[in-house]
DNA sequence: TGTTTTCGATCTTGA
DNA sequence: TCAAGATCGAAAACA
């Protein structure tokens, strides 16, 4: 079994030692674009300590990573490492933790395994790899992935585009889309119709209309 | 939110009480073929105590259930209820537990959530249902879009907006604007017209059109 | 199948 | 110390 390990993880002595101690494991260091471990090009694993976990929630990194893991054409999982003492020390509310786990598991189809120590993390990696590879030998895909809950949200993209207009931030973008229903309706509206939307005045309405209708060279 | 609860779970007083205490929850008892809870016909949940869990591994019931849950066209998850003390009391080895969790998560694509008590199980059910049913959660906090450096030039603004569409970067944005002349013309075009622009093919054309015309709730 | 474009990530610079 | 800009590489889409 060949484990490609991201170079960052290579600095974790305990984990590396534990992995090397497995006779069937061949460990290589590489630069992985997504995830921390790639086993036999089948199984993709992201390892996070609780501290990492909390930080990556705060800066929104967690969910971007989750999307990418789910989109990779691999079996993907996250291993969350730490004890209940760690959670308390960080000061994370249990509800917040559970909420994040629900989101990862159900919205992103990314299962989360729990580990108490680097040593157990190593064990989990090997065990998971063993189950995935053996699965592959017997049947190709025993159970098709449940409906891809992933699928980038069109609504989100529409809001994103609206925010490109001058004077339009998240709040007004949401109001506009709610009022008009679709981007097409917004792009076909008159300045006077914009002003009916709360928070948009004369100046902003005119600017938006101008950007939409301005022709090349005019 | 309507929760269909299997009649066997109805005997769990603590759980039922906790569920009823949620104002938005409408609780009904039914005979479910698969799983223990079905929420809004979207989310399917199997609840197990550690004791159940161990027993159902031994008699092979666990994996048959997992197959059924995975095959149901719903978002499915298992809630494992109990404390670490319970595990010890049962005498289950940690490796065996982890092995089973790996199998459920990766082989059967059935994520497992952990709960300490019936009360927390109720909380988990409601929270999970909330995340699965409401796409509105993202509506509340749209991600802000980083603004461009210069906003003075109208032409630049138009290009910036076009780059908000999927698959559109600087090159294609410029080509689009050059071909159609104004944003208005682009937003009124058919997918087939997009494809005439060099560098834009089927996939991108359809995506753009979808973002423009997609209506709220459809 | 080869080439181009986009997109995410990292690195760097400057406040 | 953090944020915005430039750079780089990989994946996806085009032809």
């Amino acid at each position: 079994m060949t484990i490609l390990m991201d170079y960052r993880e290579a600095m974790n002595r305990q984990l590396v030692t534990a992995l090397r101690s497995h006779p069937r494991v061949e460990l290589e260091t590489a630069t992985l674009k997504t995830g921390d471990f790639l086993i036999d090009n089948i199984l993709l694993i992201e390892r996070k300590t609780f501290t990492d976990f909390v930080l990556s929630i705060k800066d929104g990194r967690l969910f971007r990573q989750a999307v990418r893991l789910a989109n990779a054409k691999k079996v993907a999982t996250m291993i969350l490492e730490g004890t209940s003492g760690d959670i308390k020390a960080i000061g994370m509310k249990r509800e917040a933790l559970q909420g994040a786990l629900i989101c990862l598991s159900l919205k992103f189809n990314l299962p989360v395994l729990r580990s108490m120590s680097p040593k157990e993390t190593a064990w989990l990696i090997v065990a998971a790899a063993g189950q995935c590879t053996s699965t592959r030998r017997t049947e190709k895909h025993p159970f098709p992935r449940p409906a891809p809950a992933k699928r980038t949200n069109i609504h989100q993209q529409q809001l994103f585009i609206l925010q490109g207009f001058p004077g339009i931030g998240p709040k007004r973008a949401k109001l506009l889309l709610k009022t008009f229903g679709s981007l097409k309706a917004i792009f076909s509206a008159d300045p006077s119709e914009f002003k009916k939307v709360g928070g948009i005045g004369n100046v902003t309405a005119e600017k938006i209309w101008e950007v939409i209708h301005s022709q090349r060279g005019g």
Side-chain angles (χ1 to χ4, degrees), chain A:
Chain A
M1 162 187 317
T2 303
I3 299 183
L4 279 181
M5 176 174 56
D6 194 74
Y7 69 97
R8 286 180 188 184
E9 297 294 325
M11 289 181 281
N12 188 328
R13 290 274 177 86
Q14 292 181 69
L15 186 54
V16 171
T17 306
L19 281 174
R20 284 202 197 286
S21 72
H22 279 271
R24 294 183 45 210
V25 168
E26 198 170 312
L27 196 60
E28 294 176 18
T29 307
T31 302
L32 294 182
K33 197 183 152 197
T34 305
D36 295 324
F37 301 91
L38 180 61
I39 297 99
D40 286 346
N41 205 29
I42 291 176
L43 175 64
L44 193 58
I45 295 179
E46 170 82 24
R47 168 186 166 272
K48 275 203 188 307
T49 63
F50 274 116
T51 313
D52 287 339
F53 191 72
V54 172
L55 286 177
S56 59
I57 289 178
K58 283 183 182 168
D59 63 15
R61 203 174 66 237
L62 179 68
F63 299 106
R64 285 201 303 273
Q65 287 180 330
V67 168
R68 309 201 61 207
L69 284 167
N71 282 348
K73 303 283 165 56
K74 311 272 191 291
V75 180
T77 189
M78 178 178 291
I79 295 179
L80 198 49
E81 188 181 295
T83 64
S84 54
D86 293 335
I87 310 179
K88 284 179 191 163
I90 295 170
M92 188 182 200
K93 288 260 191 295
R94 186 172 172 89
E95 286 82 10
L97 173 63
Q98 293 281 37
L101 293 182
I102 291 171
C103 186
L104 289 176
S105 297
L106 301 186
K107 258 177 121 173
F108 296 98
N109 282 317
L110 184 71
V112 180
L113 301 170
R114 295 277 294 268
S115 158
M116 290 192 312
S117 64
K119 196 181 165 193
E120 190 178 26
T121 299
W123 186 89
L124 280 171
I125 292 173
V126 175
Q131 291 206 19
C132 288
T133 50
S134 67
T135 294
R136 197 199 188 187
R137 278 171 202 152
T138 52
E139 305 172 44
K140 283 173 192 170
H141 291 293
F143 305 103
R145 279 204 119 154
K150 192 247 118 206
R151 207 176 141 182
T152 53
N153 200 355
I154 289 212
H155 186 83
Q156 202 74 30
Q157 283 184 354
Q158 294 174 326
L159 290 174
F160 186 78
I161 287 166
L162 286 174
Q163 291 178 47
F165 287 91
I168 302 299
K171 205 173 171 185
R172 286 178 182 167
K174 190 186 151 197
L175 268 172
L176 275 168
L177 196 54
K178 200 167 196 171
T179 306
F180 287 91
S182 76
L183 291 189
K184 180 76 169 102
I186 295 172
F187 298 148
S188 308
D190 291 317
S192 60
E193 296 181 70
F194 290 135
K195 282 187 283 187
K196 290 177 194 163
V197 179
I200 295 185
N202 258 318
V203 180
T204 309
E206 290 291 345
K207 272 189 194 166
I208 295 174
W209 195 89
E210 194 179 0
V211 172
I212 294 173
H213 291 81
S214 170
Q215 303 255 341
R216 187 164 43 114

